[in-house]
Amino acid sequence: MKRFLKKIVIYFGFYSGLFEVFRRIMVRKGYVPILLYHHVLEDGKKPAGWVPSCFELMGIGIRKNLLEKQLLYLKERYRLIGLKDYIFKKRQGADLSGAAVVTFDDGFKDEGVALLKKYGIPATIFLFGRSFQEIFYRHRIFFLLDEATILKTIFKTSSGEDILVDISTDEAKRETISRLSLFFGHVDEPAREKNFLNLQIALGVLRDYLPQDVYLTQEDARNLIKDGISFGAHSQTHRNLTLLTDEELSNEIVLSRAQLEALTQEKDVPFAIPLGPYDERVIKAIKKNGMLCNVTSDGGFDSRQEDIYRIKRVFVNTRSFQEFIYKISGFELLVTKIFEKLKRLF
Ligand SMILES: [Zn+2]
């Protein structure tokens, strides 16, 4: 029901021009969208019974043609600036209405990078330290499931567990992702590799994924800096920071910061919290370790009075252009707020 209502709101708001009016008001009031993207997928044909990529299903993937349309839209209507410049200007109290910032988390080596170069978008990409050596386990599961040639099977883990793998429908694929994520999220480091190999065989995947195929390398990043793209730190190991000890938390920030400083030859490094969760302790550690600013995965817009260590972002890994306009216009935020108020009333 909720999904159906959302579709109606998007259809009506987009084609009536309401979203565009709303967007202009938001810009005039000084609300700045800091956009959040992740992985960009190739376009490709979609045969009957086609099941979307895991990245799309989990809301962190966007098709290349849709991203291109979005970037062109942004370029036409906003003053696009890098996150660092944005923060410097914000600190000086400059007028930032009409500005927008494009950010990408995780540093995927994909079709998106070429588009950023093609259109001269000064995006900011957040890299996590380990991405130069290994693939984050959830991403690895996504790639394996997307490449699978066997649609339904039982994956036998090294601890004797049987996990049902079914990727024949959207819903089955989602459930499989959560079962596999639960297993690989808890399995000991030494057993992880062996289990991934067994999963790969069970799914009939021939291709071997290496970190340098999946994520930008240090050399890639250095080349992109020449194209006006900037980089930020996204922790060292891409874990839930709220679950770490003080020492581990500090290491996540300090190590990733040092790596980014060496890579960019610059002292000011923005930070992006991995996976979403954070608390007061995490924010304090980010500030204490001298990060320039911090962006979160909380949905919302930035404005003059917002804290630079709790910057909200607009999650735009959408499946349609209409939905993108719904989000960037700020209308989605309004709908969410109305729903929250109604919930409190009843
Ligand atoms: Zn991330």
Side-chain angles (χ1 to χ4, degrees), residues 38 105-106 128 139 234 238 273-275:
H38 286 84
D105 279 9
D106 306 337
F128 61 99
H139 296 162
H234 192 39
H238 207 270
I273 292 173
L275 302 171

Side-chain angles (χ1 to χ4, degrees), residues 8-23:
I8 292 183
V9 169
I10 293 179
Y11 186 86
F12 173 75
F14 181 80
Y15 289 103
S16 67
L18 175 67
F19 290 167
E20 186 57 25
V21 173
F22 201 80
R23 190 189 67 79

Side-chain angles (χ1 to χ4, degrees), residues 168-179:
S168 53
T169 65
D170 293 26
E171 207 37 53
K173 200 171 181 182
R174 263 197 211 102
E175 282 165 14
T176 299
I177 291 168
S178 78
R179 281 193 292 273

Side-chain angles (χ1 to χ4, degrees), residues 176-226:
T176 299
I177 291 168
S178 78
R179 281 193 292 273
L180 290 174
S181 298
L182 193 67
F183 171 72
F184 281 102
H186 289 92
V187 73
D188 293 340
E189 200 79 35
R192 189 177 277 181
E193 203 48 49
K194 194 177 154 210
N195 279 288
F196 262 119
L197 201 65
N198 287 342
L199 178 65
Q200 185 176 350
I201 294 165
L203 292 172
V205 176
L206 295 176
R207 182 178 162 185
D208 274 323
Y209 282 93
L210 299 171
Q212 63 266 36
D213 302 327
V214 171
Y215 304 118
L216 298 169
T217 63
Q218 306 211 27
E219 199 192 341
D220 293 330
R222 275 192 287 268
N223 286 329
L224 285 169
I225 291 171
K226 291 177 204 150

Side-chain angles (χ1 to χ4, degrees), residues 111-124:
E111 305 272 340
V113 179
L115 287 181
L116 295 178
K117 278 173 37 175
K118 182 176 172 188
Y119 296 112
I121 309 284
T124 301

Side-chain angles (χ1 to χ4, degrees), residues 47-84:
W50 175 84
V51 176
S53 152
C54 293
F55 290 94
E56 282 177 300
L57 286 176
M58 303 317 282
I60 60 164
I62 184 168
R63 294 281 152 187
K64 185 190 167 192
N65 58 355
L66 187 53
L67 175 70
E68 187 162 20
K69 207 169 167 186
Q70 295 187 0
L71 292 179
L72 285 170
Y73 178 92
L74 292 168
K75 222 177 134 85
E76 232 172 66
R77 288 167 178 79
Y78 291 88
R79 210 159 19 110
L80 295 177
I81 57 173
L83 184 62
K84 266 195 235 174

